[in-house]
Amino acid sequence: MNFPSFHAAAVAEFHPAPSVDEITATRIRVAKSAPKNAGAIGVPVGTEGDVPSELGLDRATLAAAGFEGKSGQTLVVPRPGQPALVAVGLGADSERDLASLRHAAASFARAGAHYGHLAFALPALRDVSLAHVAQAAVEGALLARYRYRPLKRKTEQEPPLEELTIVSSAGEDEVKRGIDRGRITARATELARDLSNAPATLLTARHMAEIAKVVADASGLEIEVFDEKKLAELGCGGMLGVNAGSSEPPRLIKLTYRPKADGKGAGRISLIGKGIMYDSGGISLKPNDLVHAAMKTDMSGAAAILGAMSALSALGCKNAVTGYLMCTDNMPGGNAMRLGDVLTARGGKTVEVLNTDAEGRLVMMDGLVLATEESPPPQAIIDIATLTGACERALGNDNAGIMGNHQGLIDQLKAAADTTDETIWQFPLDRRLRKELDSEVADIKNIGGPLAGQITAALFLEEFVNGLPWAHIDIAGTSRVETDKTWRSKGATGFGTRLLIDFLMDFKAPEQPKAKVKN
């Protein structure tokens, strides 16, 4: 992809998504044996059973060196004049799945961080196709080697991954299919990571729209961009209210993917992503600590959708998808919305603002209403957002939260989460808490009480979906990590990108009427 250059006082030229080019440049192939010019060869070893003979060590020797084969463990065995061998833990037989394999490949890629050419011996997983195994291995290795480097002047010691050889003696064609899909999904995730890692002064809502145009052209997507004038014509009071304190104008970016064979069975899904390019909290200013430095990632939901939709054409997705990226800053300028203000959402519903730091739901409500107005209407609406600190406090950084009004739809998303290791935990959409959103002066207020904030936020969003099957994914805790962790590299994780891809590829229209949600 040829991205435009963006200019700022401190940086002469800034490439917003450098890893897209890097991951394309990585050569990935399948071979029956590891090449002699590889820097390191990864050999998966479980906690039980025979040790692969190519490692040249028995279990007692491995144990003496502190290696037990636990998931993610590594032991580097240097060999003069030959590629280093790296024992990589797979865990117990009962633990082996795509997640543990992806973790093993990621651990190996980091253990061999000083090598530009790696080889990984592909293990077999019970009841899992070689294509899925190869895809997980490629995803783990590529995502683990991700680093955000466009603003660094010094050359790092860790070279880019130039070549990855997947070693497999069987199913070459199937392995190649997995490799191709793994590259596509990893590339989409790295696009989302790049955008979320970019400083907010260099990646504004306007720049996000320019990038989306380049991505759309390269990915077979239709794109329409709405500026502040068009947003006013649409009556998107949430977007305009949140943007009021910013010197940067907002952008609503609408992306449309139409399958080549838009047949009878094609599903219709709408995605809405929170794209707060920088969130100061507005008048309800956030505490003066390092949380501010992380607020450039408050657009991770929009980034995940752009990343996911960039992969649909290459993967041959058979379902039609529309994405709404709701992009703006939330700043405390002289014209900023104040506590007690009343905004009018697209469709006419009035909202009393009692916390300007509960801004994500205000931009999302306009997108949700626009999705319901599509003709024909979508069979499912999914929103994804770094929405609430309450969700992060409840689940930490490993699980996203999910709520919705249709259990069948939620179950499809949970299945995609399990496959991709982008795990989600379902909270009850407990409507007994809905009264906390009652307002004396408007139809609804934008915050509830001090407890269960993730649930009251979802109940607020539900007000705008017009009864259509809908699910809300809160990625507040999973959008970034402070240290390398499994396939997630330090910084923005791109969480939700692969989950959405898997969900969109396998989507089946939910049965009507809507199923009862488990509480």
Side-chain angles (χ1 to χ4, degrees):
M1 296 181 185
N2 295 315
F3 288 101
S5 297
F6 302 117
H7 298 269
V11 181
E13 187 172 306
F14 175 66
H15 192 304
S19 63
V20 173
D21 292 336
E22 291 175 9
I23 205 169
T24 305
T26 302
R27 300 183 297 277
I28 309 176
R29 64 190 186 93
V30 60
K32 294 185 184 301
S33 59
K36 294 180 180 180
N37 63 339
I41 302 169
V43 183
V45 182
T47 56
E48 51 204 334
D50 295 334
V51 175
S53 59
E54 57 263 39
L55 196 56
L57 301 172
D58 58 22
R59 194 167 291 279
T61 304
L62 291 173
F67 180 87
E68 303 170 79
K70 291 181 179 179
S71 180
Q73 272 190 320
T74 58
L75 176 67
V76 179
V77 183
R79 299 186 301 171
Q82 298 183 73
L85 294 176
V86 182
V88 186
L90 271 181
D93 286 345
S94 59
E95 299 172 344
R96 295 184 191 180
D97 56 14
L98 289 175
S100 66
L101 173 59
R102 195 178 286 108
H103 182 21
S107 299
F108 163 60
R110 290 197 182 104
H114 294 291
Y115 299 107
H117 182 184
L118 299 177
F120 184 73
L122 199 67
L125 295 182
R126 190 178 299 113
D127 301 323
V128 180
S129 72
L130 273 174
H132 283 102
V133 172
Q135 178 185 342
V138 169
E139 289 173 344
L142 293 180
L143 295 176
R145 287 292 284 266
Y146 172 89
R147 290 291 182 266
Y148 189 69
R149 291 183 276 240
L151 300 173
K152 285 182 173 287
R153 293 177 62 189
K154 293 183 179 179
T155 304
E156 297 184 11
Q157 294 297 315
E158 182 179 315
L161 183 57
E162 297 175 350
E163 187 165 346
L164 174 64
T165 301
I166 300 298
V167 180
S168 177
S169 58
E172 182 177 347
D173 290 342
E174 199 173 355
V175 172
K176 284 181 178 177
R177 284 196 299 273
I179 287 173
D180 290 342
R181 179 159 173 156
R183 186 199 292 274
I184 292 167
T185 55
R187 181 179 183 180
T189 303
E190 295 204 357
L191 170 61
R193 286 180 176 182
D194 279 350
L195 298 176
S196 297
N197 276 322
T201 51
L202 296 177
L203 185 62
T204 64
R206 287 182 295 168
H207 292 152
M208 185 76 167
E210 292 174 17
I211 293 168
K213 287 178 182 177
V214 176
V215 173
D217 289 344
S219 307
L221 304 174
E222 299 171 17
I223 184 170
E224 189 173 3
V225 177
F226 300 84
D227 61 15
E228 59 271 36
K229 183 178 178 181
K230 290 182 180 178
L231 287 169
E233 293 172 357
L234 288 172
C236 292
M239 284 282 286
L240 295 172
V242 173
N243 180 256
S246 177
S247 60
E248 276 290 334
R251 291 292 185 267
L252 190 165
I253 304 162
K254 181 181 178 182
L255 300 165
T256 304
Y257 168 75
R258 303 184 194 279
K260 292 178 181 176
D262 192 1
K264 224 177 182 184
R268 301 184 305 279
I269 311 103
S270 289
L271 308 174
I272 295 86
K274 176 183 174 183
I276 302 298
M277 310 308 292
Y278 183 81
D279 181 20
S280 69
I283 296 298
S284 304
L285 195 66
K286 292 181 183 292
N288 185 23
D289 58 26
L290 284 176
V291 71
H292 278 277
M295 286 303 105
K296 65 181 182 179
T297 63
D298 210 22
M299 39 68 71
S300 294
I305 290 175
L306 181 57
M309 292 189 68
S310 76
L312 298 181
S313 179
L315 293 174
C317 181
K318 297 180 180 178
N319 295 307
V321 183
T322 304
Y324 296 86
L325 314 185
M326 317 302 289
C327 299
T328 176
D329 290 323
N330 181 29
M331 301 295 284
N335 295 320
M337 66 177 176
R338 292 150 291 192
L339 280 71
D341 282 355
V342 174
L343 306 179
T344 302
R346 167 76 179 178
K349 189 166 296 209
T350 56
V351 181
E352 182 184 13
V353 178
L354 293 183
N355 186 335
T356 64
D357 196 24
E359 87 298 332
R361 65 202 71 181
L362 298 176
V363 302
M364 302 280 279
M365 67 186 183
D366 290 332
L368 289 167
V369 173
L370 287 167
T372 67
E373 295 171 349
E374 294 172 22
S375 182
Q379 295 164 321
I381 297 176
I382 312 298
D383 75 70
I384 182 167
T386 48
L387 206 65
T388 66
C391 187
E392 182 175 11
R393 287 189 293 273
L395 296 178
N397 303 118
D398 292 319
N399 293 285
I402 187 169
M403 286 156 277
N405 64 5
H406 195 294
Q407 190 60 45
L409 178 60
I410 291 172
D411 288 343
Q412 287 191 50
L413 286 161
K414 289 166 74 174
D418 290 342
T419 298
T420 58
D421 194 31
E422 297 193 341
T423 51
I424 53 180
W425 184 271
Q426 184 175 355
F427 288 104
L429 193 68
D430 192 335
R431 294 184 178 87
R432 291 174 295 182
L433 297 172
R434 170 59 183 82
K435 61 181 179 293
E436 294 188 11
L437 297 173
D438 290 341
S439 167
E440 294 181 5
V441 300
D443 294 323
I444 193 172
K445 59 185 181 182
N446 77 324
I447 58 167
L451 304 177
Q454 73 275 34
I455 297 176
T456 54
L459 288 168
F460 177 91
L461 295 174
E462 188 189 22
E463 293 285 317
F464 300 92
V465 300
N466 197 29
L468 293 175
W470 155 79
H472 157 63
I473 304 173
D474 191 332
I475 59 172
T478 57
S479 63
R480 61 179 291 113
V481 289
E482 298 305 317
T483 59
D484 291 340
K485 194 174 187 180
T486 63
W487 54 269
R488 295 176 289 173
S489 294
K490 182 178 180 180
T493 63
F495 187 103
T497 307
R498 291 183 301 107
L499 187 162
L500 288 175
I501 291 172
D502 195 83
F503 165 77
L504 295 169
M505 293 296 293
D506 295 333
F507 172 76
K508 303 296 181 188
E511 293 182 7
Q512 299 291 341
K514 60 188 179 185
K516 184 178 179 182
V517 174
K518 300 171 186 174
N519 285 328

